[in-house]
Amino acid sequence: MTTASHPLPTLRSELLARLAQPRQYDLAVMGGGATGLGVALDAAARGLSVVLVDSHDFGKGTSSRSTKLVHGGVRYLAQGNIALVREALHERTTLLHNAPHLAQPLPFVMPSYRWWEIPFYGAGLKVYDALAGKAGLGSTEFLGACKTRECLPTVRPDGLYGGVKYWDGQFDDARLALALARSAAREGALLLNYCPVKALLHEQGRVAGWVCEDAETGQSYTVRARSVVNATGVWVDTLRAMDGDATGRAVRPMVAPSQGVHIVVDRDFLPSDHALMVPKTADGRVLFAVPWLGKLILGTTDSPRHDIVREPEPFEQEVAFILEESARYLQRAPTAADVRSMWVGLRPLVKPQDEEGNETKQISREHTVLVSRSGLVTVTGGKWTTYRAMAEDVLQKCFAEGLLTPCGPSRTRHLSLQGAPNAPVQHRLCDPQGMHSYGSEAAFLQDMPGARVWLDDGLTEAMVRFAVRYEYARTVEDVLARRSRCLFLDARKAEALAPRVAELMAQELEADPQLREFLALTPHYLPKSG
C-alpha cells in the first residue's frame, strides 16, 4: 500500500523527462480532446513518433460535455446532408465495436401527438436505417400508444397517438477520451496534460514545433516536429493567431462557437432503458431525455456564444427552455430544485477558410482541416462519433502536403481501445515497454485488496489511486469529473466526496490536488436557485 511517506515514483516526472530529451518527432499534436487524441492514436499506430500536450486535462473542454450519444445525426438527415449521416452511421458502429466497455446501442422513441408525425418521421428513420445498411443497430418500428407507454412509462398520455422507435448509440465521453489517451500511449505516443503551448517555433517561415510549459512547475520545454497539428477545438484560433503573428500574416477567426446545455435529474422522471427524442420542439429545436449512468440527461440547446471560456455557464433562458419543454412530454415536470447537475458544452462550428484566410462558405457542422502557409495543420468542427474519420483526414492532409512521408493505411478501424475485453495490456504511462502493467482497475485491485474501501456507490479508494497512477489524473476535478463522472451526475455528492478524494490524491502526488478550487467549481454545476 502506498503511503504519504513512501510514495511511488511519480509517472509525470518520467513523462516530463522524456519530453525534455532533444529529438524531432514526426508529429506534434496540440489538444487532448476527441480529435487530438484520435490523431495521436492513428499516427502512433502507424509507427510514427508522436507527442501530444493539452493546456488542461484530457477531455476537459467540449469532449467531456457532449450529450453522450454515438449517432448518425437524425437532424442532419432532415437537412439533406446525406454524406455526413452515412459516414457517422458507419463510424458509430466502428466505435461501438472498438470500445464496447464504453459505448452501447440505445433505443430511442419519438412520441407522437399528431397523427401525421408517425408516418412522417417513421419514413425518415427508415431512410436512416437504409443509410446504415449492415452497420445498422436495429430496425425502425412504428408503435401504438400502449407500446409507446411501455417504452416510456412516464410519457404524457393525453393525446398520444403512438410513436416511432429507432436505434443509435450512447457512450461515456470523458472515459472514451482517457481510453484514447491510454491507447495512444500503448502504441508509443508521449502524452502530457496540464502542459500549455506558450509559443510556436518557426524556422525559415515554417512551423517546426513549440515551446510548452509544465503548469505545475513552470518549467519550459521545447518540442520539435516535422508536422504540427492544432486540434484545440473552440480554441484553435488562439494557436492560429500565434502562427500568424510569427509569419506576419493576418488570421481571420474560423470558429463561431455555440453552446449546448444539459441538465441531469433523477431517473424516476423517466424510469426506462429507452431514450425520449423530440425532433421539433416549440421553437424548432431537438430535445432529448436520455438515461445515463443511473440518471436522466435532459437537453440540449444550441445558442451562439461569443466568449470562449473553460467553464461556460448556461443562460437562464436555456435552463428554462429545457425544463418547460420536458414538462410538455413528461407526466411529472422536473423543476430547478430537481437538478442534480448541469453542464455546458461549447461546439466549434466552423467558418471554413482557404490558406489566405478568406471564408469559403457558411458555418458548418462538419469538420474542417486547414493548412497554413507555414505548414500548421488546423482541424476543428465535427463531432465525437466521427473522431476516428477526422483523424484519418488529418493524417491524409499531412501526407498530401508533404509534411509527413506516407506510411501505410490507418489501423484504427479495427483497433480495440484500452479497457476493451480484447485490447492489449496497458503498460505504465511513462514506459510503453515497462515490465509492470495493469490493463484495468480490476487487475490493479488484485494487488491492492486493502483499497477496496467504497467512498461512494460508484467510487473506491483503489479507483482514485488507479486514476492518479495510470490515468493521468492530477486534480480532484480530474477524478470526480472525468475519471469518475460524479460531478456530471450529482454536483452536491461530488462536493461531499471531494475532501476524501483530495486526501488520497495527496498520498499519491507531489502536487496540490486543488481541493479548494474544486469546491469553488461545484456550485457552477447547479442552478442559481438550486
Side-chain angles (χ1 to χ4, degrees):
M1 176 73 67
T2 301
T3 66
S5 59
H6 297 91
L8 287 178
T10 171
L11 295 177
R12 185 174 179 87
S13 64
E14 297 175 35
L15 293 171
L16 289 168
R18 287 176 59 191
L19 189 68
Q21 294 173 1
R23 64 174 299 183
Q24 184 182 46
Y25 291 88
D26 294 318
L27 186 71
V29 182
M30 299 174 285
T35 306
L37 293 168
V39 171
L41 175 57
D42 192 326
R46 298 185 198 218
L48 298 172
S49 57
V50 179
V51 59
L52 179 148
V53 298
D54 193 276
S55 59
H56 293 74
D57 188 27
F58 301 133
K60 176 177 170 59
T62 304
S63 294
S64 63
R65 300 164 184 266
S66 73
T67 316
K68 321 306 180 195
L69 301 181
V70 185
H71 63 111
V74 173
R75 60 178 171 173
Y76 306 139
L77 181 63
Q79 297 167 2
N81 198 333
I82 302 298
L84 177 61
V85 174
R86 181 183 287 112
E87 177 186 60
L89 285 169
H90 286 77
E91 288 299 319
R92 176 191 68 180
T93 301
T94 298
L95 197 159
L96 294 176
H97 176 76
N98 289 342
H101 58 309
L102 298 172
Q104 303 83 31
L106 179 69
F108 289 73
V109 174
M110 292 183 184
S112 301
Y113 293 90
R114 298 179 181 86
W115 68 267
W116 56 266
E117 290 178 333
I118 296 176
F120 179 77
Y121 291 117
L125 288 167
K126 287 292 186 181
V127 175
Y128 198 60
D129 292 348
L131 289 172
K134 294 181 179 179
L137 303 178
S139 298
T140 294
E141 300 176 48
F142 297 86
L143 308 179
C146 289
K147 187 64 175 178
T148 299
R149 293 188 66 186
E150 286 182 22
C151 296
L152 305 174
T154 54
V155 72
R156 183 171 59 83
D158 300 339
L160 180 68
Y161 279 93
V164 182
K165 176 180 175 178
Y166 72 100
W167 289 82
D168 255 324
Q170 184 184 62
F171 75 130
D172 186 332
D173 50 7
R175 293 296 311 175
L176 184 60
L178 264 293
L180 287 172
R182 297 183 69 207
S183 299
R186 180 188 73 204
E187 299 294 330
L190 171 61
L191 298 93
L192 274 155
N193 52 358
Y194 297 102
C195 198
V197 170
K198 294 298 184 179
L200 294 178
L201 297 177
H202 289 81
E203 296 176 354
Q204 299 179 342
R206 303 289 293 179
V207 66
W210 65 60
V211 176
C212 57
E213 180 181 284
D214 176 18
E216 296 179 2
T217 65
Q219 178 67 44
S220 293
Y221 298 86
T222 298
V223 173
R224 296 184 176 276
R226 296 177 178 85
S227 182
V228 178
V229 173
N230 173 14
T232 53
V234 292
W235 293 276
V236 292
D237 287 327
T238 300
L239 276 299
R240 293 177 66 242
M242 286 186 189
D243 185 45
D245 291 343
T247 57
R249 300 185 181 96
V251 174
R252 292 185 183 182
M254 66 183 293
V255 171
S258 74
Q259 72 174 27
V261 175
H262 306 82
I263 292 175
V264 175
V265 296
D266 286 338
R267 187 72 168 269
D268 57 9
F269 283 97
L270 183 62
S272 173
D273 57 1
H274 289 65
L276 183 154
M277 190 272 205
V278 178
K280 192 173 184 180
T281 59
D283 65 354
R285 287 188 278 189
V286 176
L287 178 73
F288 291 100
V290 180
W292 187 65
L293 298 181
K295 299 290 185 180
L296 185 70
I297 299 175
L298 304 174
T300 176
T301 59
D302 192 355
S303 306
R305 181 149 192 158
H306 302 294
D307 60 326
I308 302 177
V309 294
R310 285 285 167 184
E311 287 290 344
E313 294 191 22
F315 305 130
E316 289 185 13
Q317 63 269 27
E318 291 178 305
V319 176
F321 163 78
I322 293 174
L323 294 176
E324 289 168 6
E325 286 297 317
S326 299
R328 297 180 59 188
Y329 295 93
L330 299 176
Q331 291 182 43
R332 184 162 68 95
T335 67
D338 297 307
V339 175
R340 301 302 184 192
S341 184
M342 62 184 187
W343 69 87
V344 178
L346 295 182
R347 303 183 179 108
L349 304 185
V350 183
K351 299 178 291 187
Q353 304 172 352
D354 59 24
E355 289 81 354
E356 301 297 326
N358 301 309
E359 295 178 12
T360 57
K361 62 178 180 179
Q362 296 180 344
I363 290 176
S364 171
R365 293 185 180 274
E366 299 180 61
H367 68 273
T368 294
V369 183
L370 182 70
V371 180
S372 72
R373 285 188 179 181
S374 73
L376 176 67
V377 180
T378 294
V379 54
T380 193
K383 58 181 181 177
W384 247 118
T385 306
T386 56
Y387 84 88
R388 196 199 64 82
M390 292 169 65
E392 281 192 358
D393 287 350
V394 169
L395 288 175
Q396 285 303 119
K397 192 73 169 180
C398 292
F399 298 148
E401 296 287 331
L403 302 172
L404 289 173
T405 302
C407 56
S410 173
R411 292 180 48 227
T412 57
R413 183 172 295 279
H414 304 291
L415 185 65
S416 293
L417 299 184
Q418 195 60 42
N422 58 343
V425 171
Q426 165 70 54
H427 293 289
R428 293 183 66 192
L429 301 178
C430 64
D431 181 9
Q433 305 302 320
M435 296 300 293
H436 195 61
S437 60
Y438 293 104
S440 67
E441 289 128 72
F444 183 66
L445 278 167
Q446 291 179 5
D447 282 359
M448 294 190 66
R452 293 178 182 268
V453 178
W454 287 93
L455 308 183
D456 179 59
D457 56 5
L459 186 66
T460 66
E461 175 184 326
M463 291 176 184
V464 175
R465 296 188 187 279
F466 185 86
V468 174
R469 298 185 198 181
Y470 298 99
E471 294 185 328
Y472 300 91
R474 306 298 298 172
T475 71
V476 173
E477 183 194 340
D478 294 346
V479 171
L480 289 177
R482 289 172 292 278
R483 279 41 174 204
S484 78
R485 306 313 308 273
C486 189
L487 179 62
F488 282 71
L489 294 168
D490 192 324
R492 293 182 184 89
K493 181 180 287 186
E495 183 178 49
L497 288 170
R500 179 55 178 154
V501 170
E503 181 183 341
L504 292 171
M505 295 185 73
Q507 297 173 13
E508 298 283 337
L509 291 169
E510 76 287 357
D512 175 13
Q514 299 183 20
L515 172 61
R516 183 180 302 176
E517 290 83 349
F518 182 76
L519 295 178
L521 174 66
T522 52
H524 296 278
Y525 283 72
L526 292 166
K528 296 294 188 292
S529 59

